[in-house]
Amino acid sequence: MKAKTIAVISLCVLIISCETLKSTVDNVSSVFRKMESNNSQEDAAGFDPNQRAIQDTENWDVAILDTAANVDYLTGIEKDVILEMNKVRANPKQYAELYLQPRLKYYNGNNYSVPGQITIETNEGISAVNICISALNTANNVGVLTPDLGLSLSARDHIIDQTKTGEVGHYGSDGSTPEIRMKRHGTFDRTFTLAENITYGTATGRDIVCQLLIDDGVPDRGHRIIILNREFTQTGIAFGTHPEYRTACTVTYANGYNSTLQP
């Protein structure tokens, strides 16, 4: 029997604002949200979003990196996304060695096929992974991200919207941008930075982050650039189901953001 093959995609947008300075970069990324019915998520996507992955305390100082561990508004997978991003931000070279290098053996041409899992059709195949490993081997520690309620709510707004519409990308069905959605739940300082990554089709925190880091099919590797940007200190996560790609995860980033509500 021929293995089922799916495609996964990512999208990203970056805005740097200092009064009149503003620039944008369009690419691909993703995040997950805590929906009202977690059971429906599990039934639709075939996994439990509240279950956390093994923490790998042997190789990482999880007590420092797991900044979302005690946050009650995030699901297990959403907390895992933050932990995985903090791992790679803390030690990019080690992250590449532990989690990206082992992926190489599962490529057959442009297909990424782990036994027992759905085969993923990529654009670049193994070359994108090797490029990512090389980049991480020379990257620096950029500090950890801390979870923010307002940023997570803005990510959740987008996930709820796309769960209903089946659309992809950074624009909401109401025309909202990441910045507009973030301003619904907080305010920015006079000088600020913000970004949003979205992934579709992946269902674990590590796979979500690895997809964004590898950035297959994205020429400027915008998702990786965002994750490794030391300017960002805050993040929000929302993970949910998607009518076409099964899952979607929206990740928001900022510096100089102040949530209206506090956890």
Side-chain angles (χ1 to χ4, degrees), residues 59-235:
N59 292 300
W60 304 95
D61 190 345
V62 173
I64 293 176
L65 301 177
D66 198 11
T67 56
N70 298 318
V71 172
D72 62 6
Y73 57 83
L74 296 175
T75 63
I77 189 172
E78 292 166 352
K79 294 179 181 180
D80 287 345
V81 171
I82 294 178
L83 174 58
E84 293 298 316
M85 289 193 297
N86 282 340
K87 286 178 181 178
V88 70
R89 285 169 64 93
N91 193 331
K93 184 175 182 179
Q94 178 169 285
Y95 198 90
E97 178 182 353
L98 291 176
Y99 307 136
L100 292 176
Q101 191 74 34
R103 295 172 72 96
L104 297 175
K105 63 185 176 183
Y106 297 117
Y107 278 85
N108 180 13
N110 282 1
N111 288 338
Y112 177 71
S113 183
V114 178
Q117 299 182 18
I118 296 174
T119 297
I120 296 173
E121 183 179 357
T122 70
N123 292 295
E124 301 174 66
I126 202 169
S127 65
V129 186
N130 282 323
I131 291 170
C132 181
I133 290 172
S134 296
L136 294 184
N137 282 339
T138 59
N140 297 316
N141 180 324
V142 294
V144 299
L145 297 165
T146 57
D148 181 273
L149 176 57
L151 294 177
S152 292
L153 290 173
S154 69
R156 186 182 67 180
D157 288 348
H158 200 45
I159 287 293
I160 292 173
D161 186 33
Q162 294 195 336
T163 295
K164 296 176 181 177
T165 65
E167 296 294 325
V168 298
H170 296 284
Y171 285 96
S173 61
D174 59 357
S176 63
T177 63
E179 184 174 353
I180 289 173
R181 291 190 291 272
M182 291 178 193
K183 287 181 176 178
R184 291 173 181 165
H185 304 287
T187 59
F188 286 98
D189 295 339
R190 184 174 181 181
T191 300
F192 66 90
T193 58
L194 71 89
E196 180 180 86
N197 279 341
I198 306 173
T199 61
Y200 302 90
T202 45
T204 70
R206 185 166 299 162
D207 282 343
I208 287 168
V209 173
C210 284
Q211 179 183 337
L212 294 172
L213 290 170
I214 295 168
D215 236 359
D216 179 86
V218 182
D220 68 0
R221 314 302 186 190
H223 302 96
R224 184 193 310 153
I225 290 171
I226 288 174
I227 289 177
L228 297 177
N229 188 333
R230 69 172 60 253
E231 292 297 318
F232 296 121
T233 59
Q234 304 159 286
T235 189

